[in-house]
Amino acid sequence: MVHQLSLVAEIPQPQYMLSVSTLAAITGMTPEDLSLHVVLLKPKFPFNPEIQAGKVNQIEQYRIRITSSFDSSSGTQQRAQAQAQLESQSIFEFNKNSNDLTSRKWTIQVSEIPSAGRRTVSSQNIYESTIVNTGAHNDLIGYLDELGYSLETEFWIKGVRFYHNDIIIEIYRIYVKSDNISTVIVPIGEKEQDLAKLYKLELLDKTGKFFVKCFVNVERQTGVESITKANKQLDLLKNELSGLIDLEIPDRIAMDSRVNSKIGISNYNISVRKK
Amino acid sequence: MKLNPELVDNCHKDEYIQEETTLKLEQLIPRIIQERGSFLNITEASLEQEISSLDENNIEQTKKEIDEENVDDHTGSSLETTNMIIPEDDTIQKSLDSSALTYEEFVNYKTEVVNLMKSALNESSLSLDFISLLISCVRPAAGSISMSPHLKQHITIGSLNSDKLLEVEEEEGSKEKQLEKTLKVGQGWKLEGLETASKTLRDSSIRLFEEILKEKEYWNNIFKIVKANEVLIKMSNVGGSAKDIGVKYGFGDSGSKYFDKGIGILKKDFNSGEIFFKPVVNNNLDKSHKIVKVKISYKKTPNIHGESDVVKLFCTSTKTDANDIEGNRDESIDIKIAKARFYLFEEELFHELIREASTLISYQVQVINNVITVELHDQIIEIVEASLPQGKSEIDCPKSPLDLKAEYVSSFLRLMLCEEHKQNLSLKHKAPKPLPQQHIHSNKDKPALLLRPLIGHSRHNLYIKQMLNIVESVIQDFYPADSKTIISENLDLKKYNNVPESESRDPFIRCITSPNSLIVLRDLNSLSDDATKLNFKINISNTFNFVNLLMNLKLEIFQDNRTETLLDVNFTDFEAIEDCLRWALKRN
């Protein structure tokens, strides 16, 4: 479990190359590839606790976010960024015996809403764990089902990552399944029956803007020294990048992963498919 | 006497009598002062009185005229005349108004008067100041009282004097000469003034030119530095406020963690414009430039030793000719920077060596008086800090094998320091862990890996030799007949056991991994039972600090198509392992 202090920004597509080279110069490293397949899970059964006096009554259900890296073997970094097209398997359709999607290492993450109040950085508690053994089920979906969660949405993240002292800087774009383009069926794995349906992906934000997230993980929320150190580092980074990338605090309501959260539900394209 | 009738005609304009109304204000005012006295005596009441009396006069005059008219036209009652008079009052007023000034005109005249008064005041005060300045030369008190404070502030009292020039009586013709003389004086002064002005301008242009040359020199040098691929940084001047250009000649950016960051400020020499750079040091250490030098000698012959060549190292690193290693002020700035960088590296190297050597005291490494002494089994390696030898050095004297070995050791140490820097850099590029970061093996405290590979690997080779000797003697004791064949066929030595196959050819990787070798004695016929075969696997390794010895003996017995491990023991002593080997062979 970590406490994460973060700042976000957005940059338009023409500014991407400049930002990447600036960050490469500041951090002194070549950008690390960041390709994530993210799936959001929703609890299957509603939880209505009995309201008892004297006990903590604010118990809420949270969504779970599972992520895994996917292999984005589409040429060099620059070209991959230039093309807004990707192909990937969807979580909703998979072959139980296929060894790609469900054999990847998935990381499970639950995050709280960031702390309120006037702050210089957004600070949030995040709980994370990697699924190593799915127990009785030999696939991920069964395991999650037993946990009591069903698949809600999926999206893909593609970008780059930099490390600067204790700060992790991520620049990426979000891709979703494209509706109109037809899918491709490719064989994966050794057996002939192992076919996977690949969907073409398209950008969620058609303008092609990139999302920048800079964060520092701190072990405990109560560690004052660590928190001040992290704050100072983020401030320094903000000053250094000001003008090119304007880092600011994200809207805390938008980072609420609770089931009853007020994030614009009408904007979500929820397509839950029954297994 | 005849009177010209035209003169008394109303239309005649007498040039000597000026009409009051056509007089200009400047001429009008003196006349008024003459007639009425000073303006000081005018009061508002008197003016009003005058105006009202003037009005009455006008009204009476017009009344008279109207009366005459009325008498002519109407011989009637006084009522009518009074009636007549009343409306006539309006016309009287109107006629009065037309002869009076409009309001705007009045205001204009007023401002004109005020301005003239102001200028008159200014002129009078200027003349007052002039006179008082003149007087102050003779009578300072009188002068200073009447001088204006502004003049007193700016001009010292008594600085203006006047004197009477007596006119020399001369002939008529000398008037022109005198005129010429005065003209000449004026011209002389003008000429002097022009000369001073031209001289000042010329001097400043010369000065500017020199300044430009200095600046050009400075910027040429900076350009030279940039061309030499140095890193220039903008630094804020500690003392002043201007921003200076500094050069980063140290290795901080390539992973060094040395406290001296190697930053120098490029300053301009005041007189010549030449550039020189001054290293920024945090503490006031007096830096004497030293180079790390390696000396090797055999324990048997301590007087004969081989040395690493510092002059060659210096010359190749800083691209200077061997003949003028003294260094002079004329050498270009990039060479100076290269030299500074070289000395900084040497300083850091020695610093890290001392730090590491102090952890290796139990392995025959000593640090006494800034000399590191390493004892390998038959050689002694000394690492010292030496300065460049003064005077000409013999560059091309033949190198003894010991000299060569010393050179190799010296190069090896430098390579290992570079590798250390590279490791530090790669650590920076790993994902940061959540704060607070606990450095389990804190990088600050862990010394660089410089001497340990050297000592560790040479010791390891010794151990291998020793082990092989033991095994061979054991085989000779137990299998006297075919010992030679056994030694040649069944005995295997595999070095660098812990290096993965893909990298095992790389000498560098072999160097930086802790040594680990495997001696295998295969398919020995059991002395008691011919059917069984014995396999001995002896693993010699050094522990993580490269220098400690750890041996592992494994005995496998192959019996009835099964492999069974009979022994798996760790040893740190050769006698013990020998005993165990003999016992195992005896028993089996």
Side-chain angles (χ1 to χ4, degrees), chain A residues 28-29 163 165-166 217-219 226, chain B residues 429-432 434-437:
Chain A
M29 58 181 283
Y163 307 118
N165 296 338
D166 291 313
N217 290 331
V218 176
E219 255 176 46
S226 320
Chain B
H429 297 161
K430 281 209 278 198
L435 289 176
Q437 283 204 32

Side-chain angles (χ1 to χ4, degrees), chain B residues 268-334:
Chain B
K268 189 169 62 173
D269 183 33
F270 211 56
N271 296 326
S272 57
E274 265 169 41
I275 205 169
F276 68 96
F277 93 113
K278 185 172 141 303
V280 173
V281 271
N282 286 329
N283 39 7
N284 297 323
L285 283 177
D286 187 26
K287 295 219 173 206
S288 50
H289 293 147
K290 293 274 171 65
I291 307 178
V292 172
K293 185 171 180 169
V294 176
K295 289 192 208 170
I296 298 191
S297 58
Y298 283 110
K299 275 189 192 169
K300 302 174 284 194
T301 57
N303 300 324
I304 307 172
H305 54 238
E307 293 179 351
S308 66
D309 194 345
V310 289
V311 177
K312 190 165 130 205
L313 187 68
F314 178 76
C315 294
T316 46
S317 305
T318 60
K319 298 193 182 59
T320 49
D321 193 22
N323 289 327
D324 50 17
I325 55 176
E326 303 278 315
N328 39 14
R329 298 214 51 191
D330 291 342
E331 62 194 3
S332 67
I333 186 77
D334 48 339

Side-chain angles (χ1 to χ4, degrees), chain A residues 236-262:
Chain A
L236 275 172
L237 184 70
K238 183 175 171 175
N239 286 336
E240 214 171 333
L241 291 175
S242 69
L244 179 65
I245 303 175
D246 292 316
L247 293 167
E248 53 192 19
I249 309 172
D251 179 20
R252 77 184 267 273
I253 306 293
M255 295 167 72
D256 184 5
S257 59
R258 288 175 294 192
V259 172
N260 310 321
S261 79
K262 301 285 184 282

Side-chain angles (χ1 to χ4, degrees), chain A residues 112-124:
Chain A
E112 292 181 1
I113 189 170
S115 315
R118 256 185 55 131
R119 285 159 185 272
T120 46
V121 297
S122 155
S123 85
Q124 190 182 24

Side-chain angles (χ1 to χ4, degrees), chain B residues 76-227:
Chain B
S77 57
S78 55
L79 246 167
E80 283 181 324
T81 38
T82 47
N83 281 344
M84 282 297 187
I85 290 172
I86 294 166
E88 245 86 347
D89 263 340
D90 293 337
T91 52
I92 292 167
Q93 280 296 325
K94 276 188 202 150
S95 62
L96 277 178
D97 283 339
S98 60
S99 68
L101 295 167
T102 60
Y103 181 67
E104 283 160 14
E105 284 178 26
F106 174 69
V107 167
N108 284 343
Y109 279 138
K110 185 172 163 193
T111 42
E112 227 184 302
V113 171
V114 167
N115 287 338
L116 284 171
M117 272 172 37
K118 278 187 187 161
S119 52
L121 180 65
N122 280 341
E123 299 268 340
S124 56
S125 40
L126 277 174
S127 15
L128 176 65
D129 277 338
F130 181 67
I131 299 293
S132 46
L133 191 60
L134 278 176
I135 290 177
S136 64
C137 184
V138 181
R139 287 189 204 287
S144 56
I145 287 173
S146 51
M147 256 205 280
S148 71
H150 180 258
L151 190 68
K152 249 192 281 193
Q153 268 176 7
H154 291 261
I155 299 183
T156 28
I157 295 175
S159 53
L160 187 65
N161 200 353
S162 65
D163 213 347
K164 213 155 89 164
L165 284 175
L166 291 173
E167 221 184 276
V168 180
E169 280 296 322
E170 283 190 24
E171 314 97 50
E172 279 285 322
S174 68
K175 270 272 163 71
E176 287 98 36
K177 271 196 201 157
Q178 268 207 339
L179 199 64
E180 223 180 284
K181 260 198 203 165
T182 44
L183 276 176
K184 270 194 190 156
V185 171
Q187 280 170 350
W189 277 334
K190 265 195 200 151
L191 190 65
E192 215 179 288
L194 282 171
E195 270 183 14
T196 337
S198 74
K199 187 163 176 291
T200 322
L201 281 170
R202 195 163 10 120
D203 283 344
S204 41
S205 83
I206 290 174
R207 202 166 31 87
L208 275 173
F209 188 65
E210 282 170 12
E211 282 290 330
I212 289 172
L213 281 178
K214 278 193 227 164
E215 281 291 316
K216 188 165 171 233
E217 176 78 22
Y218 178 76
W219 287 103
N220 269 345
N221 281 326
I222 297 245
F223 185 61
K224 233 196 281 182
I225 296 176
V226 169
K227 257 191 5 192

